[in-house]
Amino acid sequence: TGGTNHRGVVNYSSSPTMSNVTATATGGSSENWAVNNESSSSPTMNNVTATASGGNESYGVRNSSSSPTMDNVTATASGGTTNYGVRNIVSSATMNNVTATASGGINSYGVENNESSATIRGSSITGTTTSIRLTNVASAMVANTMLDGSVSGTTFTCVGAHTAAFAALNATCT
């Protein structure tokens, strides 16, 4: 606690298997990242709980130039000025049975893909600003998933997606 930037777990140029891990990052005045996968990392994440809060930016899971496989992951970010449940930056993420939640602050995104692609199956994505945000040539394939919040971007493929109120979403997640 205290200080500027906090990281719970950092995978840098590595591909570990993370099983039954709880990672927390709080109290940094600038950035709090519970799990940070960076620089060609391809971790396999199973039964991971990643929680970040506070500061200017909070990330449950941050993937930068990485290709993680995320199964049974809970990624939560809150209390920062900008919050990301999962943020993919120049990455390709496979997300199965993921609960990604971002709340509070000025902007909160359940999942953001920035120059990234994500395949999301059987998941629950919640963001008070948007559930999924696509920026800078990004895409998302979403199947059998609940989206609590609007989506932003144009390259969506949705099959069996629905809102928190169980209203069916169309092929573009709207």
Side-chain angles (χ1 to χ4, degrees):
T1 61
T4 305
N5 299 318
H6 294 157
R7 310 289 186 263
V9 173
V10 176
N11 296 313
Y12 188 86
S13 296
S14 62
S15 300
T17 296
M18 297 175 61
S19 296
N20 304 313
V21 172
T22 299
T24 305
T26 63
S29 61
S30 183
E31 298 174 343
N32 295 290
W33 304 351
V35 175
N36 181 37
N37 299 312
E38 191 165 347
S39 189
S40 299
S41 292
S42 297
T44 299
M45 301 171 63
N46 296 303
N47 300 317
V48 172
T49 300
T51 305
S53 64
N56 290 325
E57 294 184 348
S58 285
Y59 298 78
V61 176
R62 180 183 181 270
N63 300 309
S64 179
S65 299
S66 296
S67 300
T69 298
M70 302 168 62
D71 294 311
N72 301 313
V73 172
T74 300
T76 306
S78 63
T81 303
T82 302
N83 304 289
Y84 303 92
V86 175
R87 187 174 193 206
N88 299 306
I89 306 163
V90 191
S91 294
S92 177
T94 300
M95 301 168 58
N96 301 307
N97 194 29
V98 170
T99 300
T101 305
S103 61
I106 296 171
N107 292 301
S108 292
Y109 310 104
V111 172
E112 182 189 71
N113 289 345
N114 182 341
E115 294 184 52
S116 300
S117 64
T119 301
I120 303 169
R121 293 181 184 95
S123 296
S124 175
I125 312 298
T126 302
T128 53
T129 304
T130 59
S131 58
I132 302 176
R133 178 182 187 214
L134 305 178
T135 61
N136 301 320
V137 189
S139 64
M141 294 186 292
V142 181
N144 304 318
T145 294
M146 188 276 298
L147 301 180
D148 187 3
S150 62
V151 298
S152 173
T154 59
T155 315
F156 283 95
T157 302
C158 284
V159 176
H162 60 87
T163 68
F166 293 97
L169 296 170
N170 66 20
T172 61
C173 293
T174 55

